[in-house]
Each structure stands twice: as C-alpha cells, then as structure tokens.
Amino acid sequence: MEKQTALFPGSFDPITKGHQSIVERALPMFDKIIVAVGCNTAKHSVFSLDKRIEWIKQTFAKYDKVEVVTFDSLTVDFCRQVGAKYILRGLRNSSDFQYERNIARINQELAEEIETVFLMTKPDDAAISSSLVREILSFGRDVSKFIPKEITISAEDFKK
C-alpha cells in the first residue's frame, strides 16, 4: 500500500510534548510529515517565527521523514501546493474534537480529496497546551517537563 504525505499545521507557539507525540506516532502511517507553521489570523504569536521553526527542527532532527516549513494560506490550499493528501491533527479532549471536527468539515467542502486524520494525545500529554506553557513561562517557571527534551525555552525567548 502506498503511503502519502501528511501536513501537520499549527502555530506551535511553542511546540509541546503533545505535538511531538502526535508526529512521532504518525510517522509509520505516512511517507512524509510536513510540520507547517501557519499564520493564524486569530492568534498573535508570543515567540518569533524563526525561534519556533528552530525548535521544531531541533525536535525532529533525527527523522528524515519530517520537514518543517511555514505557510500563509488556507491549509487545504497549502496541502495542494505541497502534494499532501492528509491533514494531521491531535485531539486532547472533547472540546478539541468539536473544534477540529468543524474545521475538518469545512476543509472537506473546500478540498474533498484531502482527508483529516485525528490522533488522540497520550493521557500524560492531554493537559499540555502551548497557551499553558506560555502562562507558566510568563511567571518565570521551568517548562522543561512540557516541551520536547531536544529544546530549551526560557522567558528570555519571548518576542520583544
């Protein structure tokens, strides 16, 4: 059976252990996973784009099948541009499912040839979110237990 390319879009502000787990667990399913840092018009990033790309590349450096890119278009349009037939999304809870299901439905209307694949986070990662990591950092606390071991993030990394 021929495997395909999956796009894992997000703001990754910052990348967490949950994001890392989703990609690593999806690797056997796909020939390539493109981790795509998108421009979300509803979000204002705390960390610079360059810093987020650097952290993601460090996290997945040992995986030849993972590519890291940026994009500033609709996700399905970018999927078509890079030849991805799947959008990979992680789900932590039922709220994530409700939100992601609606996006998947709209994406299917826009590009019926592109499927969304959902993976549940591991129970240990279900409470971790980028926003909680940023909150902890804002108080000068250590976030190493919530982010990939390959990277280090400190309050000094906040965008000025």
Side-chain angles (χ1 to χ4, degrees):
M1 179 166 146
E2 181 183 338
K3 294 181 186 177
Q4 300 283 337
T5 297
L7 185 80
F8 186 44
S11 57
F12 307 102
D13 190 31
I15 187 168
T16 67
K17 282 186 175 181
H19 296 128
Q20 180 183 24
S21 174
I22 294 296
V23 170
E24 289 177 346
R25 290 172 34 233
L27 280 169
M29 297 179 220
F30 301 101
D31 292 317
K32 177 165 64 167
I33 297 176
I34 301 171
V35 179
V37 182
C39 218
N40 185 333
T41 57
K43 291 183 179 180
H44 299 287
S45 299
V46 171
F47 298 102
S48 73
L49 179 61
D50 289 342
K51 187 55 84 172
R52 289 180 283 149
I53 294 292
E54 176 187 326
W55 288 330
I56 297 166
K57 285 182 176 181
Q58 288 172 343
T59 299
F60 299 113
K62 65 183 176 183
Y63 300 108
D64 293 337
K65 290 172 40 170
V66 176
E67 181 181 341
V68 183
V69 300
T70 62
F71 74 107
D72 62 357
S73 62
L74 287 174
T75 301
V76 292
D77 291 340
F78 192 67
C79 282
R80 286 177 172 146
Q81 183 181 330
V82 298
K85 299 291 184 199
Y86 299 92
I87 298 171
L88 177 62
R89 300 300 294 158
L91 301 174
R92 293 172 296 162
N93 52 46
S94 59
S95 296
D96 280 357
F97 173 72
Q98 295 296 337
Y99 176 77
E100 294 291 345
R101 179 182 64 179
N102 290 337
I103 292 173
R105 179 69 186 106
I106 296 301
N107 284 340
Q108 194 169 47
E109 284 294 320
L110 294 171
E112 64 184 24
E113 76 279 12
I114 298 170
E115 289 289 340
T116 300
V117 175
F118 297 113
L119 287 183
M120 295 298 300
T121 58
K122 290 184 174 183
D124 288 350
D125 298 330
I128 302 171
S129 69
S130 294
S131 58
L132 286 175
V133 171
R134 291 191 309 268
E135 179 75 8
I136 294 165
L137 273 171
S138 74
F139 288 97
R141 298 290 304 269
D142 177 36
V143 295
S144 60
K145 61 176 81 170
F146 308 115
I147 60 173
K149 65 178 174 33
E150 293 83 359
I151 64 174
T152 302
I153 302 176
S154 68
E156 289 78 41
D157 292 312
F158 277 179
K159 262 184 12 183
K160 303 291 184 215

